[in-house]
Amino acid sequence: MKDVTTKLSYGLYIVTTWVDGKPTGCIANCAMQITAIPASFAISINHDNFTAECIRKTGKFAICILAEDSDPSLIGAFGFKSGRDTDKFANVGYTVESRLPIINDSCGFIACDVINTMESETHTVFLGAQVAAEQYGDRKPMTYDYYHNVIKGKSPETAPTYRPETADSAQNAPRKFKCEICGFVYEGDELPEDYVCPICGVGPEHFTEIK
């Protein structure tokens, strides 16, 4: 039976905030506008993500909208590493707008103050009132579909849309190639000769097919 939930549309974002005066954040694919006047937005962050803990403390978050031509290493740094033990902004250009860290390599941002939360079994939904927003140029925003089908990226287990493989899906699944350096898994029929790991930046010679 086909899963109709895969027909829902998603973007790809980096949600940012602060921890002890330092910038932190994580990848999110669930961000949506709730109201227009006054403008409010909701994001969904896994309970295990360090960013969720930090948003609860600061009461603020920014949604940085990734572009199709944003550096793929951003997805690796913010989607597959933890801010508890990694400075995700160490090699990332950013500015501070409305007292929040904003990724330069993006379509723009929406900064919010948290006005409410809702808890599910695995995720916190933060509702925020917009305090600032800006668009950078006219870049095309990255969709979750683009991330999977063009970049060939994999969902982290903390993503709201993550699903473990069933026996049927494993049988029809594409080939998988694992990075020997950082453990990132690429899915596709073939590993491109010019592929670069979005997490650690190594080439295809460091990937091994998972049988």
Side-chain angles (χ1 to χ4, degrees):
M1 182 180 295
K2 293 184 178 180
D3 185 357
V4 70
T5 63
T6 62
K7 299 302 181 183
L8 289 171
S9 297
Y10 301 91
L12 207 63
Y13 316 96
I14 296 179
V15 174
T16 66
T17 190
W18 298 103
V19 53
D20 299 327
K22 299 177 182 178
T24 192
C26 68
I27 290 288
N29 70 325
C30 287
M32 67 199 79
Q33 185 168 4
I34 303 301
T35 59
I37 303 174
S40 63
F41 295 82
I43 56 172
S44 175
I45 307 293
N46 191 284
H47 293 157
D48 292 336
N49 280 17
F50 185 54
T51 301
E53 176 183 328
C54 296
I55 293 174
R56 291 190 194 96
K57 290 180 179 178
T58 63
K60 299 178 180 295
F61 65 85
I63 304 168
C64 301
I65 305 164
L66 290 179
E68 286 187 355
D69 59 350
S70 291
D71 190 333
S73 66
L74 289 170
I75 300 172
F78 287 87
F80 292 87
K81 297 180 181 179
S82 173
R84 290 186 177 89
D85 49 34
T86 302
D87 180 1
K88 297 183 179 183
F89 280 82
N91 299 304
V92 174
Y94 73 97
T95 56
V96 177
E97 303 287 348
S98 298
R99 297 179 294 167
L100 283 163
I102 306 299
I103 304 293
N104 294 337
D105 188 6
S106 67
C107 294
F109 73 93
I110 302 163
C112 296
D113 287 340
V114 176
I115 56 175
N116 211 335
T117 61
M118 183 183 75
E119 299 296 333
S120 73
E121 184 175 344
T122 59
H123 287 67
T124 299
V125 177
F126 294 96
L127 178 63
Q130 177 186 309
V131 295
E134 185 175 347
Q135 178 175 325
Y136 300 152
D138 193 27
R139 302 168 72 180
K140 188 173 182 180
M142 186 185 300
T143 64
Y144 209 51
D145 184 67
Y146 182 93
Y147 169 64
H148 280 294
N149 295 322
V150 178
I151 298 180
K152 300 295 185 183
K154 180 184 178 183
S155 300
E157 292 187 9
T158 56
T161 51
Y162 172 79
R163 291 178 180 81
E165 284 191 353
T166 62
D168 289 340
S169 64
Q171 183 177 1
N172 300 315
R175 297 166 67 189
K176 296 182 179 181
F177 302 84
K178 184 176 182 179
C179 177
E180 300 169 346
I181 306 301
C182 67
F184 177 79
V185 176
Y186 170 92
E187 296 182 359
D189 294 333
E190 295 288 344
L191 185 67
E193 294 182 359
D194 59 350
Y195 187 73
V196 175
C197 178
I199 297 182
C200 62
V202 299
E205 68 275 10
H206 292 284
F207 279 77
T208 302
E209 184 170 4
I210 302 173
K211 299 295 187 180

